[in-house]
Amino acid sequence: MTQDNTQGTEIQSKDRSIAIYRTYPPRWVTPSIQLSVYRDEDRENLARYLNMPEIYSYLAGPPFPYTLENSDQWIKTGNERMSKNGTPLDMCLRDMAKGGILIGRVRVSDTSDEDLDGDDVGYWLSPEYKGQGIITKAVKLMLQEVSIKELGKRKFNAHAFHDNWASRRILEKVGFVHQPDREASVVKNGQTLKMWVFRMYLSEEDIANREVVEEAVPLPSLVK
């Protein structure tokens, strides 16, 4: 491929990324942090974070080391994950007070309530933003607006590595319950690692009584 063709492909990819970004309105988690779809400009931050031991050590899937090509595939796949109504199921967290840099990720599932083998929620967050309740609210918001309201899901499954107490606390705050009679495992870096299993079953009464998560009002300076 010639340099001109390569540049043309990059421009087309960037234009497509911008179009996708503008199509789906963000969900504000805090006055400065939003959930939105991925953009091509996120590739370097994705690679940087997914090469951090404090992040990749607790994720079952991504390869290590994580390359820019891996980031490109992540962005493409993430933006293709839509509900049947065209709602994004995989979104990144952005700090709009810092130019919209990517700082984390939250995804939900559109699988049937009868399929409880996989993960109906996944997430990670930059270490510098932890301890502020950001990821807990983001997960609650995605589950509420997409999984529960739009998709009508009432049964959820999730996992966390045995020593990942921070992730366990997040799941429990969201409403998941640890299943001591169930256990899962995953092979990571040649080792078989045990994982906790969590479930959340919601009745219609539970839905009616569930705390409503309100989107934040963005700072006026961040609204264009």
Side-chain angles (χ1 to χ4, degrees):
M1 181 179 288
T2 66
Q3 183 176 2
D4 287 344
N5 286 339
T6 300
Q7 290 176 342
T9 300
E10 289 176 351
I11 291 172
Q12 289 176 0
S13 176
K14 184 174 182 179
D15 289 344
R16 183 172 61 253
S17 173
I18 293 173
I20 292 172
Y21 180 79
R22 289 175 175 171
T23 299
Y24 302 100
R27 302 181 189 275
W28 289 90
V29 181
T30 77
S32 61
I33 294 175
Q34 65 173 221
L35 282 160
S36 75
V37 294
Y38 298 97
R39 295 185 60 170
D40 288 347
E41 293 89 337
D42 298 328
R43 65 196 303 260
E44 292 186 0
N45 256 359
L46 266 175
R48 180 168 70 91
Y49 283 129
L50 292 176
N51 280 308
M52 288 184 176
E54 55 266 61
I55 292 180
Y56 78 72
S57 296
Y58 294 109
L59 299 178
F64 179 80
Y66 202 83
T67 67
L68 289 176
E69 288 72 24
N70 293 140
S71 291
D72 292 338
Q73 186 59 44
W74 178 301
I75 291 169
K76 179 178 183 296
T77 302
N79 282 341
E80 289 174 348
R81 294 190 69 244
M82 301 278 181
S83 74
K84 61 183 179 182
N85 297 326
T87 301
L89 300 173
D90 195 333
M91 304 187 82
C92 68
L93 284 156
R94 299 185 184 281
D95 187 343
M96 301 308 292
K98 294 185 177 180
I101 61 169
L102 178 147
I103 61 169
R105 176 251 193 146
V106 176
R107 69 165 180 82
V108 293
S109 165
D110 59 352
T111 56
S112 164
D113 278 354
E114 304 310 312
D115 181 6
L116 289 175
D117 293 326
D119 281 295
D120 288 312
V121 62
Y123 47 85
W124 57 264
L125 184 67
S126 165
E128 66 180 296
Y129 290 87
K130 290 185 176 180
Q132 303 176 45
I134 294 170
I135 201 72
T136 300
K137 182 176 179 182
V139 171
K140 284 183 176 180
L141 191 58
M142 283 285 282
L143 286 172
Q144 172 183 284
E145 296 301 317
V146 183
S147 301
I148 297 172
K149 286 185 179 180
E150 179 181 333
L151 301 177
K153 282 181 67 64
R154 298 294 183 263
K155 297 179 181 179
F156 301 85
N157 192 65
H159 299 89
F161 285 116
H162 265 206
D163 59 343
N164 193 351
W165 288 96
S167 186
R168 175 169 176 164
R169 284 192 291 271
I170 290 168
L171 287 170
E172 290 174 339
K173 287 178 182 178
V174 169
F176 283 83
V177 178
H178 176 229
Q179 307 295 302
D181 58 330
R182 297 178 181 273
E183 195 169 85
S185 63
V186 64
V187 176
K188 184 178 177 70
N189 299 327
Q191 293 183 305
T192 300
L193 304 176
K194 293 182 179 180
M195 304 186 81
W196 288 312
V197 177
F198 299 84
R199 294 277 172 88
M200 179 168 67
Y201 300 135
L202 299 175
S203 66
E204 294 309 312
E205 183 179 358
D206 293 331
I207 299 295
N209 294 328
R210 192 173 172 83
E211 179 186 3
V212 176
V213 181
E214 300 287 352
E215 278 196 54
V217 177
L219 295 171
S221 60
L222 301 180
V223 180
K224 296 181 180 180

